[in-house]
Amino acid sequence: KVRPGGFTQVNPEVNLLLVKAILEETARLAPGPKTALDLYAGSGNISIPLTRSGFQVTAVEQAAEGLQAARENAKGLNGLTFIGGQSEKVTLELARRGQAFRVTVLDPPRSGALNMAPLLAGLRPELILYVACHPAVLERDLPAFVSLGYGLEKLTAFDMFPRTSHLEALAVLRAN
């Protein structure tokens, strides 16, 4: 469910493929703590399935509509913590507190998440899953993550917007 003014992927069938790809990547992790940070979490599109797959998830969303919808969508689900606020500020605070996450998922707005690379390095995620709706912005942002010790393992395009030139992309980055 999404509240008026909230964000959702416009193509439900392709969105299911995207979420499935994210869950498959997290399932490939070696045994260990199942902790994840979902930045720009919206209404819980990714954080709820991650939690259902056994992860302890911290979901960060700035928009009040998204945060409220996520809480409603996650009713009765244990292992999911919501934080309202700007992803950049919350990530910086989590790093200052010494928190670490094995997985970080980013699904930023069209402007991308270039400033997140150095902030995420402080959290030391083993796996970064970057969802982008603007491939040129993803191309701009990826070198910042690579320069901090993450290798681009896989890049998958999802035709979220058929019969247009727009694509959704999933970049899988692993710590070297």
Side-chain angles (χ1 to χ4, degrees), residues 1 14 63 71 96 114 132 134 156-157:
K1 297 176 186 174
V14 177
R71 286 185 172 128
R96 280 189 187 142
L114 182 61
H134 195 299
T156 307

Side-chain angles (χ1 to χ4, degrees), residues 39-131:
L39 299 169
Y40 314 97
S43 60
N45 182 51
I46 298 168
S47 53
I48 291 171
L50 270 175
T51 304
R52 287 187 176 136
S53 74
F55 276 81
Q56 295 290 312
V57 179
T58 299
V60 181
E61 175 55 45
Q62 180 176 352
E65 300 86 2
L67 194 59
Q68 188 174 355
R71 286 185 172 128
E72 290 171 9
N73 292 334
K75 272 203 168 108
L77 188 60
N78 294 318
L80 180 53
T81 302
F82 294 104
I83 299 176
Q86 246 184 355
S87 288
E88 295 81 358
K89 289 180 182 175
V90 172
T91 300
L92 184 59
E93 182 57 33
L94 292 170
R96 280 189 187 142
R97 286 193 234 152
Q99 291 224 236
F101 298 89
R102 285 191 75 200
V103 176
T104 298
V105 179
L106 302 110
D107 190 358
R110 211 163 162 73
S111 57
L114 182 61
N115 297 333
M116 289 303 299
L119 301 174
L120 286 180
L123 296 176
R124 304 173 305 282
E126 179 180 328
L127 178 67
I128 297 175
L129 301 165
Y130 187 145
V131 179

Side-chain angles (χ1 to χ4, degrees), residues 130 132 135 138-139 142 152-158 169-172:
Y130 187 145
L138 181 61
E139 179 185 21
L142 286 178
L152 178 60
E153 186 174 280
K154 187 189 294 185
L155 183 60
T156 307
F158 295 87
L170 173 63
V172 177

Side-chain angles (χ1 to χ4, degrees), residues 15 28-29 31 37 41 49 57 70 73 95 107-108 117 120 141 148 152 164:
N15 180 61
R28 292 180 46 216
L29 287 169
L37 177 64
V57 179
N73 292 334
D107 190 358
L120 286 180
D141 292 357
L148 293 167
L152 178 60
T164 73

